[in-house]
Amino acid sequence: MALTAAEVKNAKPGDRDYKLGDAGGLYLFVTAKGAKSWRMKYRFAGKEKRLTFGLYPEVSLAEARTQRDEARRLLRENKDPLLEERRREAAAVAAAGATFETLARAWHEDEKARWSEGQAKLVLRALVRDIFPALGKLPIRDIDGPMILVELRKIEKRKAIETAKRVRGYVSAVFERAIGEHHVEVNPAAKVGKSLKKTPVGSKQPAITDLTELRDMQKAIDRSTSNATTKLASRLLALTALRVGVLRTGTWDEIGGIDWADPGAPTPDAVWRIAADRMKLEVQDKGDAAFGHDVPLSTQAVEVLRTLHVLTGRYALMFPSDASTRQPMSDAALSSLYKRLLAGKYKGRHVPHGWRSAFSTLMNARAADLDRGGDRMVIDLMLAHVPPGMSSSEYAYNRASYAKQRRELGQAWADMITEGLTDPMVVANIQSP
C-alpha cells in the first residue's frame, strides 16, 4: 500500500533502522536516530542497486515519487539511473569550474589561427575590457540573456553601436562552444541581438563621394601636422582602395616592378602582391594562393612608394609604428587623423574604409557616363570582392584576364583623385635627389 503524507510525517525512530515502503521500489528509510531519507531499490543488468533521493522533509513524498518515476523511465530506456545521476553530478562539477573567462580564452586560443594578429588582439581586448570584469568569473551556466544585455548596453552608452554588436557575436561564439562541450544547453547571447540599438542611418563606414571634396580633404591632410608616414599612408590608401588593415601591415617584399636605385626608371608593371592569408576571405580560402590580391600600381602610387621608401625602406614593414619598427602602424592612426582634421570637419563623414566606397561609387558612375558596363566586374576585382561560390581557379582566371583593364582603371582613378595635390616628396619634406 502506498504511503500517505501523514504516515511519512509521523514516522518515529525505533530501536533500529527500518523502512516504510511506498510503491515502484520507493521507500522511506528511518534511522534509529530519527533521520529520514528517500531511497529506491531497483535491478539493472541482473544486479540489485539503490538510489538515494534526499532527506525528508527537504524532499517531500511527491518530489520523491517524481524522482522515482524519472528513474523508472531511464530503466525502460535501458539506462542505469545511478550511472546517469553520477554523470549529471560530474557535469555539474565541470560546469561550476567552467567560468566564462576560462571558456572565452580557450575559444580565442583556438580561433586566433583564423585571424590576423591584429584581429586576434582586437577580439581579446574587447572581451577583457567589456565582458570579463562583470561576467568573466561567473560559471557560464549561471549567465543569462539579461546579464549579457546589461554589459552590451554599457558599450552602447559609449556610442559604440557596432562594437556592441561585435562583442555580442564574440560572446555568442563562446556559448556555442560551451554547448558543444556540454556546459550549457542554450545560447542566451543569440537572443539579445534584436534588443541592441540599430546602427544610425549613414553612420556605418561613412564616406565622402564628392570628388572635389575628396581632393580638398587630401590637401588638408598634406598640410596637417601629422607625421609624414601617416600622410603617405592616407594617400596610398586612397590610391589603392585597400582595406586599411592590409595596407598598414604591408611589407616591402610585397612590392614588385620598381627599381628603388633609379628614381627615374619606368614602372609599367609595378604591382603590390598581397598573399591570400592577409586578405579578408573565408577561412578555407586564406590558404589558397589563387585568392591572393594583386594591386596594379598607378604612377602616383609609385611616387608615394618611392617617397615612403626613403623613410622606411630599411625596415621590413612599409608603415612601422613609432614605438617599434617591428610592429605596424596603429589601426587607429588614420581614423584619428581624419577625426581631428580641420577641427573635426570630417569626423563622422569619412573613415579610412570610406576610400573603398568612394572608389566604387565614383568609378561606377564614370563607367555609366562612358557607357562602360563591363567595368563593374573589374571594379569588384580591384576591391578584391570574390563572388560567393567562385572557385579559386575561376577567380585567378578573371583576375589575370582583366589585368590590363584593372591597371587602366587604377590609373584613371589616380588621375581623378590626385589632381592638384602636392608632390609626395614635398609632403614628406624630402629633398629630391
Side-chain angles (χ1 to χ4, degrees), residues 163-214:
T163 298
K165 293 178 181 179
R166 286 195 295 270
V167 171
R168 186 209 67 81
Y170 306 153
V171 174
S172 181
V174 174
F175 268 94
E176 288 300 321
R177 178 190 177 98
I179 290 173
E181 295 180 350
H182 304 288
H183 295 300
V184 295
E185 295 181 357
V186 297
N187 179 359
K191 300 179 181 180
V192 302
K194 292 183 178 179
S195 299
L196 297 179
K197 293 181 179 179
K198 305 296 182 183
T199 301
V201 176
S203 68
K204 187 175 182 180
Q205 305 290 19
I208 294 171
T209 55
D210 178 81
L211 186 56
T212 300
E213 194 167 6
L214 285 173

Side-chain angles (χ1 to χ4, degrees), residues 189-410:
K191 300 179 181 180
V192 302
K194 292 183 178 179
S195 299
L196 297 179
K197 293 181 179 179
K198 305 296 182 183
T199 301
V201 176
S203 68
K204 187 175 182 180
Q205 305 290 19
I208 294 171
T209 55
D210 178 81
L211 186 56
T212 300
E213 194 167 6
L214 285 173
R215 291 169 180 159
D216 288 343
M217 179 180 172
Q218 291 202 79
K219 291 174 184 176
I221 291 170
D222 292 344
R223 295 191 302 266
S224 74
T225 58
S226 189
N227 65 51
T229 304
T230 305
K231 294 178 184 179
L232 294 174
S234 178
R235 189 178 293 199
L236 192 60
L237 186 68
L239 288 164
T240 58
L242 284 169
R243 292 182 173 87
V244 67
V246 173
L247 179 126
R248 70 182 182 81
T249 55
T251 55
W252 284 112
D253 61 6
E254 294 175 338
I255 305 297
I258 302 177
D259 184 353
W260 304 112
D262 184 359
T267 56
D269 300 316
V271 65
W272 188 343
R273 299 190 186 282
I274 304 166
D277 60 6
R278 294 221 304 117
M279 298 301 294
K280 184 178 181 181
L281 297 165
E282 296 296 331
V283 178
Q284 65 269 21
D285 295 335
K286 282 183 172 287
D288 192 333
F291 283 104
H293 184 53
D294 294 349
V295 182
L297 297 169
S298 63
T299 55
Q300 292 91 334
V302 171
E303 290 171 359
V304 173
L305 287 168
R306 286 196 185 282
T307 304
L308 182 65
H309 196 264
V310 175
L311 300 175
T312 68
R314 61 189 181 279
Y315 307 124
L317 289 165
M318 294 162 61
F319 298 100
S321 74
D322 293 334
S324 171
T325 58
R326 295 183 179 181
Q327 295 296 321
M329 169 190 294
S330 165
D331 57 1
L334 289 178
S335 58
S336 296
L337 167 60
Y338 293 174
K339 288 176 183 177
R340 66 174 183 269
L341 197 63
L342 296 181
K345 178 178 180 179
Y346 299 104
K347 184 177 181 180
R349 298 186 58 227
H350 194 85
V351 296
H353 192 86
W355 287 112
R356 291 171 61 80
S357 297
F359 169 77
S360 179
T361 300
L362 290 171
M363 293 307 286
N364 275 299
R366 174 182 180 273
D369 291 342
L370 299 178
D371 195 21
R372 294 168 57 99
D375 282 1
R376 178 63 181 270
M377 176 185 286
V378 182
I379 292 167
D380 280 344
L381 285 171
M382 294 174 73
L383 290 168
H385 288 164
V386 182
M390 179 176 285
S391 67
S392 59
S393 59
E394 184 180 0
Y395 181 68
Y397 174 79
N398 283 342
R399 192 178 62 197
S401 297
Y402 292 97
K404 181 180 178 182
Q405 292 94 322
R406 290 165 62 211
R407 187 170 292 278
E408 290 175 350
L409 284 182

